[in-house]
């Protein structure tokens, strides 16, 4: 199959994935955040299928299936359950205002394009948008973890980082070995499951999951 | 039979390893564990005692390559004369301490894990033997660290006591500071000389080093080994760590672990760096003199017997360095004949210090075993209760005070000769004045040491018991007495026939300075031809310990006979001491504090004593019901050298706690900012 023909489609899908990150930023209610996470997972799955079609690597289809099941299915489900169990107020609060967050996220995207521009040249044959978008997602994921007060949002931030890593993986290597992908899936799945349970447990023990209280641990 | 020597060496290391393992495995049966652990240690020490002198007398070297490697470096041991001499030193003390431990370790049954003690004890001796036999710098550092760690575990053996843990902490911090200097020195050596690691190969190549680089390495090595040896002011760990460790271990630590630093120092300066500038020797001489004087002064102020002995280790390391320093000066001038005297004196004193300090620490251990106290103010009257321990401790005291006919005298006499040799050597007025001044300092050291041991022995063993603990003391088990007796007889033997050791040292000086010690005379005379200029002997001096002994015995005998014949000894009446009609109690006795008071006053500028007197009155001001005296000395080095640094770092650390806000978001931001900055600047 000729890779070049699909460049446009794949790049477009990657841009869409990046756009879902902004959806997470602007979402003010938690249900919307989970919706955005599901969309992101579905888009990543579609991207996988497209890449599998483009490269003729059939393992990609398995990866796509896993992506859909784990990232668009189980993880949002677990997150939703955790929220319903612990949260009274399901509004998402942040330290910075929405406008500032938006501006900041744009700066991060700009930075990552600036930083990786030299890594992937125009004629390198690799998917042009994948690496900058992936780096942007990792940075914004970290930014979400920092900026949002609601603790479950920290898990969402982690999921976004993880998706960024996944994007970098599939976008720059023409498909990773299946074993590696399985490992990554297990990693994030178990991570989110444990964190979901932990959040519930912490809430039961301390009646709160606000990370502000961690300050008391300071020596 | 050259094969058998190599086998003996491997057997020595192997049986220590076996002893360590067996002792640990059998920890559930403490009696068998003790028997196994110390039997294998004794066996290994015995083979070391056979191996060392055999190699020295036959003037052979060993090269042993074991079929294993550590981190890619083959386990290659080489035993040259210097190593063989130190193997002898380690083994002699190792044997006595191991025999002593049979009885001593029993005291720990039920209280501590004797299996662990046996494990570390064996590993400790093993690491020291492997250290002195290491053929390259990497192995040297490896076993140096093993030795430090194992000795740390031994120091904190009684870890339930918080003071012990604190002592252990100070020890491990200080010893790692020392190791840091050594690592820098060895890395510099490595960088400057290429990829060679073997000591023997360094020797030839170091000639190409620039003089500055040589001096830098020399300073680093002095600081590194000095920390381990306990030179002033790097000595602060010694008086803390030695009392904390079990006594058989403190004997090994003070007797031989400090000596591994002397070994390393000689190995690097004489064996690798070779000829250096004059100031190297001057520096070592000054360090030695300061350590010797301050060590003994602080020792005089101590009432904890093991701390007192620990300060004496500082003093004796100083005396050893005086010998080595004068040797360095002569080497820098190319007069190897004179350097030989200093080096021999230093090494001889190394050996002697191992013997008598080992004996004294074992004696202190025996007293602690019997009385369960280390405070000499609580002892007294022990001589009647523990006659053999007292006798051996007395021999050790006389030896360390450098009084003939014991071994301390022989080596200090040689140190005097080398220092006085500086006075007449053609090295400029400064050195000519320095030599005799340092000799005077050494004489003062000896006198103060004698005063200190008059105090220690007198307060511990004589007069009436000062506490019920001392009153109930009993003589220690026979194995402990054998361990001490062995060392005591060596003190006497080497004091009367010093040439036994000096002959062993001949191949050592031959390999390091290409001068042999044969000219020091036979077993009757210890002769030193100190001034050889262009082959003509300008001055010579000699002494005969055998004749001194004979004269001493004859004079004692004649005094006894004369008094027996003409004196009033014939009609003696034995009765209680008349005490002005008051019943005699131990409160009336001379205490250690009062004994050392004149010296405390004399040297108050240096010691900075503090005193606090509290009086309780029945009727002021004439009728006191109670007077409380609290005396001490200011910990000068802790206060001026260590505490400011400590405070500085603590302050710095406090500044940095701002970063530790406790907010998880802030911590994440640190990572975030770092990432973004790196992305921008490192693209």
């Amino acid at each position: 199959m000729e890779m070049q023909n699909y460049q446009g489609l794949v790049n477009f899908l990657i841009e869409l994935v990046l756009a879902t990150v902004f959806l997470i930023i602007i979402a003010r209610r938690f249900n919307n955040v989970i919706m955005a996470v599901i969309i992101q997972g579905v888009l990543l799955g579609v991207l996988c299928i497209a890449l599998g079609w483009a490269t003729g690597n059939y393992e990609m289809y398995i990866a796509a299936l896993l992506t859909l099941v784990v990232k668009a299915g189980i993880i949002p489900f677990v997150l939703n359950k955790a929220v319903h169990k612990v949260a009274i107020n399901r509004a998402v609060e942040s330290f910075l205002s929405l406008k500032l967050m938006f501006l900041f996220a744009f700066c991060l995207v700009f930075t990552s394009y600036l930083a990786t521009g030299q890594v992937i040249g125009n004629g390198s044959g690799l998917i042009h948008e994948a690496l900058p978008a992936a780096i942007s997602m990792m940075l914004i994921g970290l930014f979400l973890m920092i900026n949002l007060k609601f603790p479950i949002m920290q898990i969402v931030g982690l999921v976004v980082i993880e998706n960024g890593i996944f994007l970098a993986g599939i976008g720059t290597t023409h498909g990773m070995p299946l074993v590696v992908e399985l490992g990554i899936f297990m990693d994030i799945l178990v991570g989110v499951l444990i964190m979901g349970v932990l959040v519930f447990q912490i809430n039961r023990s301390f009646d709160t999951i606000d990370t502000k209280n961690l300050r008391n641990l300071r020596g | 039979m050259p094969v058998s020597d190599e086998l003996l060496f491997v057997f020595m290391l192997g049986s220590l390893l076996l002893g360590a393992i067996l002792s640990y495995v059998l920890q559930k049966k403490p009696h068998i564990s003790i028997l196994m652990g110390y039997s294998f240690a004794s066996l290994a020490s015995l083979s070391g005692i056979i191996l060392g002198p055999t190699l020295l007398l036959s003037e052979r070297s060993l090269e042993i390559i074991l079929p294993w490697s550590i981190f890619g470096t083959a386990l290659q041991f080489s035993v040259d004369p210097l190593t063989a001499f130190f193997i002898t030193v380690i083994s002699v003390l190792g044997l006595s301490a191991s025999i002593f431990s049979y009885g001593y370790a029993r005291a720990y049954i039920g209280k501590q894990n004797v299996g662990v003690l046996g494990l570390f004890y064996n590993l400790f001796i093993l690491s020291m033997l492997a250290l002195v036999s290491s053929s390259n710098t990497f192995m040297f550092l490896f076993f140096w660290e093993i030795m430090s760690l194992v000795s740390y575990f031994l120091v904190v053996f009684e870890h339930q006591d918080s003071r012990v843990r604190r002592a252990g902490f100070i020890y491990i911090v200080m010893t790692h500071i020392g190791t840091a200097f050594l690592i820098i020195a060895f890395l510099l050596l490595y960088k400057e000389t290429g990829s060679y690691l073997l000591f023997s190969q360094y020797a030839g190549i170091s000639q190409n080093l620039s003089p500055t680089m040589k001096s830098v390495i020399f300073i680093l090595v002095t600081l590194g080994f000095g920390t381990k040896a306990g030179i002033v002011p790097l000595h602060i760990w010694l008086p803390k760590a030695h009392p904390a460790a079990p006594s058989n271990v403190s004997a090994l630590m003070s007797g031989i672990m400090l000596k591994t630093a002397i070994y390393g120092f000689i190995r690097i300066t004489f064996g690798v760096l070779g000829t250096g500038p004059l100031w190297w020797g001057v520096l070592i001489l000054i360090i030695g003199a300061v350590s010797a004087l301050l060590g003994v002064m602080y020792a005089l102020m101590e009432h904890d017997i093991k701390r007192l002995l620990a300060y004496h280790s500082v003093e004796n390391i100083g005396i050893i360095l005086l010998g080595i320093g004068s040797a360095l000066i002569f080497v820098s001038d190319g007069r190897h004949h004179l350097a030989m005297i200093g080096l021999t004196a230093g090494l001889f004193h190394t050996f002697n210090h191992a013997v008598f300090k080992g004996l004294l620490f074992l004696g202190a251990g025996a007293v602690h075993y019997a009385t369960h106290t280390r405070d000499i103010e609580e002892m007294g009257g022990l001589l009647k209760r523990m006659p053999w321990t007292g006798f051996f401790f007395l021999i050790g005291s006389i030896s360390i005070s450098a009084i003939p006919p014991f071994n301390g005298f022989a080596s200090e006499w040689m140190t005097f000769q080398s220092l006085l040799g500086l006075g007449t050597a053609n090295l400029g007025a400064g050195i000519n004045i320095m030599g005799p001044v340092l000799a005077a300092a050494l004489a003062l050291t000896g006198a103060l040491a004698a005063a200190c041991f008059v105090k220690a022995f007198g307060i511990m063993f004589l007069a009436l018991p000062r506490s019920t603990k001392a009153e109930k003391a009993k003589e220690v088990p026979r194995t402990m007495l054998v361990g001490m007796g062995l060392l005591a007889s060596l003190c006497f033997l080497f004091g009367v026939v010093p040439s036994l050791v000096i002959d062993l040292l001949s191949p050592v000086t031959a390999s390091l300075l290409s001068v042999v010690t044969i000219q020091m005379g036979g077993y009757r005379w210890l002769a030193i031809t100190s001034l050889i200029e262009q082959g003509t002997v300008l001055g010579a001096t000699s002494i005969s310990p055998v004749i001194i002994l004979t004269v001493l015995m004859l004079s004692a005998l004649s005094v006894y006979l004369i008094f027996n014949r003409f004196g009033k000894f014939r009609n003696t009446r034995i009765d209680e001491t008349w005490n002005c009609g008051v019943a005699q109690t131990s409160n009336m006795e001379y205490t250690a504090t009062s004994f050392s008071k004149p010296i405390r006053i004399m040297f108050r500028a240096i010691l900075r004593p503090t005193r606090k007197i509290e009086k309780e009155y029945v009727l002021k001001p004439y009728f006191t019901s109670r007077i409380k005296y609290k005396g001490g000395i200011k910990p000068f080095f802790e206060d001026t050298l260590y505490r400011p640094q400590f405070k500085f770092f603590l302050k710095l650390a406090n500044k940095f706690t701002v970063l530790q806000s406790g907010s998880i978001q802030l911590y994440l931001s640190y990572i975030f900012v770092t990432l973004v900055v790196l992305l921008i600047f490192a693209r």
Side-chain angles (χ1 to χ4, degrees):
Chain A
M1 288 257 186
E2 187 52 53
M3 184 75 193
Q4 296 299 325
N5 300 345
Y6 300 95
Q7 280 275 14
L9 173 67
V10 171
N11 281 340
F12 176 65
L13 280 172
I14 291 171
E15 300 302 340
L16 278 183
V17 172
L18 191 56
T20 55
V21 181
F22 285 89
L23 272 185
I24 296 176
I25 294 175
I26 57 167
R28 289 289 91 180
R29 284 182 59 77
F30 204 80
N31 295 344
N32 301 345
V33 171
I34 290 180
M35 213 55 210
V37 171
I38 293 174
I39 296 172
Q40 199 173 63
V42 171
L43 281 173
L44 274 174
V46 174
L47 180 64
C48 265
I49 294 170
L51 273 172
W53 193 24
T55 56
N57 185 353
Y58 294 107
E59 286 179 351
M60 279 301 220
Y61 295 127
I62 304 173
L65 188 69
L66 279 170
T67 310
L68 287 174
V69 171
V70 175
K71 291 191 169 155
I74 300 175
I75 290 175
F77 177 72
V78 172
L79 283 177
N80 199 26
K81 214 173 161 186
V83 172
H84 276 272
K85 269 184 183 162
V86 297
I88 306 152
N89 175 14
R90 282 176 214 156
V92 179
E93 288 173 36
S94 60
F95 289 100
L96 297 179
S97 73
L98 196 63
K99 286 173 207 150
L100 267 177
M101 275 178 77
F102 231 86
L103 197 64
F104 220 96
F106 272 119
C107 288
L108 288 176
V109 173
F110 179 74
T111 308
S112 47
Y113 271 83
L114 190 75
T116 52
Q118 288 157 327
V119 180
I120 299 181
N122 276 328
S124 69
L126 295 168
I127 300 160
H128 191 254
E129 302 292 334
L131 194 60
I135 303 274
S136 312
M137 278 174 77
M138 291 179 217
L139 288 178
I140 294 173
L142 192 57
F143 179 60
L144 283 174
M145 288 176 86
I146 295 166
N147 199 32
L148 297 178
K149 284 178 184 168
F150 194 52
I152 293 176
M153 285 307 291
Q154 260 105 52
I155 308 180
V156 172
L158 195 71
V159 170
V160 171
I161 292 177
E162 199 65 51
N163 285 344
I165 294 171
F166 180 74
L167 183 61
I170 58 168
T172 54
T173 60
H174 290 214
M176 281 184 285
L178 193 62
V179 183
V180 180
E181 283 183 23
L182 280 178
I184 295 174
F185 278 121
M186 279 306 287
D187 190 31
I188 179 75
L189 182 61
V190 171
V192 170
L193 280 177
I194 291 176
M195 280 185 279
V197 174
L198 269 183
V199 164
F200 177 61
Q201 291 287 343
I202 291 169
N203 189 50
R204 205 172 62 176
S205 307
F206 299 103
D207 286 328
T208 176
I209 43 171
D210 197 336
T211 47
K212 259 195 315 212
N213 298 312
L214 282 173
R215 280 171 177 274
N216 300 338
L217 291 175
R218 193 156 62 125
Chain B
M1 288 179 288
V3 181
S4 71
D5 286 342
E6 271 127 40
L7 270 181
L8 201 60
F9 182 82
V10 177
F11 172 77
M12 179 173 75
L13 298 187
S15 60
L16 282 168
L17 204 57
L18 201 63
I21 294 166
L22 279 179
S23 171
Y24 185 71
V25 169
L26 296 168
Q27 56 173 302
K28 289 273 150 55
K29 297 181 178 118
H31 286 275
I32 301 174
S33 167
I34 288 173
L35 187 70
M36 282 297 164
Y38 299 114
S39 297
F40 278 106
S42 310
L43 209 59
S45 304
L46 259 181
S47 31
I49 292 175
I50 297 167
L51 180 71
T54 316
L55 286 175
L56 283 172
L57 291 177
S58 60
E59 296 185 28
R60 272 187 298 115
S61 299
L62 288 185
E63 285 290 335
I64 297 133
I65 303 175
L66 294 183
W68 304 293
S69 61
I70 35 171
F71 304 125
T73 309
L75 272 175
Q76 185 182 359
F77 295 104
S78 68
V79 185
D80 65 350
L82 185 63
T83 300
F85 176 71
F86 274 90
I87 286 181
T88 316
V89 177
I90 294 171
S91 304
V92 165
L93 188 54
L95 180 66
S96 320
S98 302
I99 294 174
F100 178 87
S101 304
Y102 282 120
Y104 185 76
R106 292 239 168 97
Y108 286 112
I109 292 178
K111 292 179 200 153
Q112 302 279 354
N113 189 337
V114 287
V116 170
L117 181 62
L119 169 77
F120 286 127
Y121 180 89
N122 276 287
L123 286 181
F124 187 38
I125 301 181
L126 177 67
S127 62
M128 287 190 289
L129 285 171
L131 167 72
V132 295
S133 323
S134 297
S135 62
N136 57 48
T137 46
F138 178 78
M139 267 174 72
F140 183 90
L141 277 180
F142 179 79
F143 285 112
W144 180 266
E145 267 308 283
I146 296 274
M147 177 182 80
S148 300
L149 287 178
V150 168
S151 54
Y152 165 73
F153 287 126
L154 286 168
V155 166
V156 296
F157 180 62
E158 292 169 55
H159 56 87
Q160 286 84 351
D161 188 346
S162 67
R163 278 170 303 173
V164 168
R165 290 199 298 270
R166 199 176 150 65
F169 177 73
I170 291 175
Y171 170 54
I172 200 151
V173 168
M174 286 305 289
T175 196
H176 275 105
I177 291 174
T179 311
F181 286 122
L182 287 187
I183 290 176
I184 299 171
F186 285 177
L187 283 179
L188 280 179
L189 216 50
Y190 178 83
K191 183 173 154 276
E192 291 293 313
T193 54
S195 59
Y196 295 103
L197 278 168
L198 295 179
F199 283 126
S200 47
Q201 284 166 321
Y202 272 145
I205 287 161
S206 67
Q207 313 302 334
N208 309 334
L209 287 176
S210 72
T212 333
M213 186 47 76
K214 262 182 160 180
S215 294
V216 169
I217 292 173
F218 175 77
I219 294 281
L220 287 168
V221 163
T222 307
L223 286 172
F225 288 122
T227 315
K228 195 66 160 191
I231 58 171
V232 173
L234 300 168
H235 68 287
I236 55 152
W237 63 271
L238 254 137
K240 295 192 166 66
H242 283 291
S247 289
N248 53 349
V249 174
S250 358
L252 290 184
M253 279 177 73
S254 176
I256 43 184
M257 190 183 78
L258 305 186
K259 306 303 155 43
T260 58
I262 298 290
Y263 162 82
F265 184 74
I266 292 177
R267 173 66 78 199
I268 299 295
T269 46
F270 287 89
V272 175
L273 294 178
T275 318
L278 189 67
W279 63 264
W280 287 11
V282 177
L283 179 73
I284 295 299
L285 279 179
I286 291 169
I287 289 176
V290 169
S291 299
L293 274 174
L294 285 180
V296 73
M297 277 182 205
Y298 282 118
L300 259 163
M301 298 304 124
E302 280 301 334
H303 302 144
D304 178 323
I305 179 65
K306 284 174 84 175
R307 283 176 68 96
L308 182 149
L309 292 176
Y311 274 121
H312 272 289
S313 296
V314 177
E315 174 221 331
N316 278 286
I317 288 293
I319 295 172
I320 293 169
L321 288 181
L322 282 176
I324 293 174
S326 62
L328 274 174
I329 288 184
F330 286 126
V331 165
S332 76
D333 199 41
R335 300 190 204 187
H336 287 214
H337 278 271
L338 294 169
M340 179 268 290
I341 301 168
L343 189 60
T344 309
L347 287 172
F348 189 20
H349 198 72
T350 302
F351 190 98
N352 288 340
H353 179 242
V355 173
F356 61 64
K357 186 50 71 63
L359 170 61
L360 287 169
F361 262 115
L362 294 184
V367 169
H368 184 240
Y369 179 94
T371 60
H372 305 291
T373 178
R374 292 201 309 258
D375 188 356
I376 61 174
E377 303 275 32
E378 292 184 9
M379 299 172 189
L382 293 179
L383 195 58
K384 282 199 181 122
R385 289 163 182 81
M386 314 167 66
W388 283 106
T389 307
F391 176 63
F392 296 142
F393 196 89
L394 182 63
I395 289 179
S397 306
I398 299 175
S399 300
I400 200 173
S401 312
I403 294 169
F406 291 98
N407 61 353
F409 170 74
S411 48
E412 281 200 31
W413 182 79
M414 289 182 67
T415 314
F416 273 117
Q417 298 313 316
S418 66
L419 288 177
L420 292 173
L422 287 177
T424 44
N426 211 352
L427 287 165
I431 301 285
N432 284 358
I433 294 168
M434 200 171 121
V437 168
L438 290 180
L442 182 58
L444 179 61
T445 307
L448 289 174
C452 187
F453 276 93
V454 167
K455 173 186 105 173
F457 185 81
I459 304 288
M460 284 167 77
F461 288 98
L462 304 181
L464 291 175
R466 291 176 173 79
S467 66
T468 46
K469 286 177 189 166
E471 215 168 320
K472 284 184 197 147
K474 282 197 191 74
E475 186 61 285
V476 290
R478 204 159 296 159
T479 45
M480 293 168 75
L481 292 179
V482 170
M484 287 186 278
L486 202 64
L487 291 174
S489 45
L490 286 182
C491 280
F492 182 68
L493 184 65
F494 297 142
V496 178
V497 200
S499 60
L500 283 176
V501 182
I502 290 169
D503 284 351
L504 288 182
L505 281 169
S506 184
V508 179
T509 51
S511 73
L512 291 174
L513 301 168
S514 16
V515 185
V516 292
T517 60
I518 293 301
Q519 54 188 355
M520 297 231 183
Y523 63 93
R524 258 172 293 155
W525 287 91
L526 192 58
I528 284 174
T529 44
S530 61
L531 272 178
I532 305 175
E533 304 262 330
Q534 278 97 39
T536 49
V537 179
L538 296 180
T541 171
S542 59
I543 195 169
S544 169
V546 179
I547 292 176
I548 291 178
L549 177 68
T550 322
V551 170
L552 273 176
M553 274 164 56
L554 281 179
S555 49
L557 192 70
S558 53
V559 166
Y560 175 76
L561 285 178
I562 290 166
F563 271 86
N564 217 14
R565 184 73 185 78
F566 304 107
K568 289 175 178 171
F569 278 16
R570 276 169 299 175
N571 44 3
T572 46
R573 187 170 63 100
I574 293 172
D575 211 333
E576 271 187 35
T577 315
W578 191 71
N579 216 12
C580 305
V582 187
Q584 194 180 11
T585 66
S586 60
N587 286 346
M588 298 165 180
E589 285 166 19
Y590 214 178
T591 62
T593 316
S594 49
F595 185 90
S596 54
K597 176 138 191 175
I599 293 159
R600 198 157 56 236
I601 292 172
M602 254 185 270
F603 294 106
R604 65 178 175 275
I606 298 168
L607 293 169
R608 294 156 188 253
T610 56
R611 52 185 264 161
K612 213 171 124 189
I613 294 172
E614 286 169 22
K615 285 186 181 175
E616 285 171 28
Y617 298 96
V618 178
L619 190 68
K620 239 181 172 176
Y622 297 114
F623 296 95
T624 32
S625 64
R626 208 169 173 188
I627 302 176
K628 214 173 182 181
Y629 172 85
K630 216 175 185 179
I633 51 169
K634 221 172 144 216
F636 179 73
F637 291 103
E638 275 92 332
D639 283 357
T640 52
L641 198 63
Y642 291 94
R643 198 134 314 182
Q645 290 184 39
F646 182 69
K647 271 188 187 152
F648 171 73
F649 281 112
L650 217 58
K651 226 182 200 172
L652 204 65
N654 269 331
K655 290 253 162 70
F656 277 108
T657 49
V658 179
L659 291 177
Q660 189 205 12
S661 66
S663 159
I664 191 165
Q665 271 89 2
L666 195 60
Y667 294 165
L668 284 171
S669 328
Y670 296 152
I671 303 174
F672 181 74
V673 170
T674 316
L675 260 177
V676 173
V677 167
L678 282 179
L679 265 181
I680 292 173
F681 285 100
R683 73 199 167 93

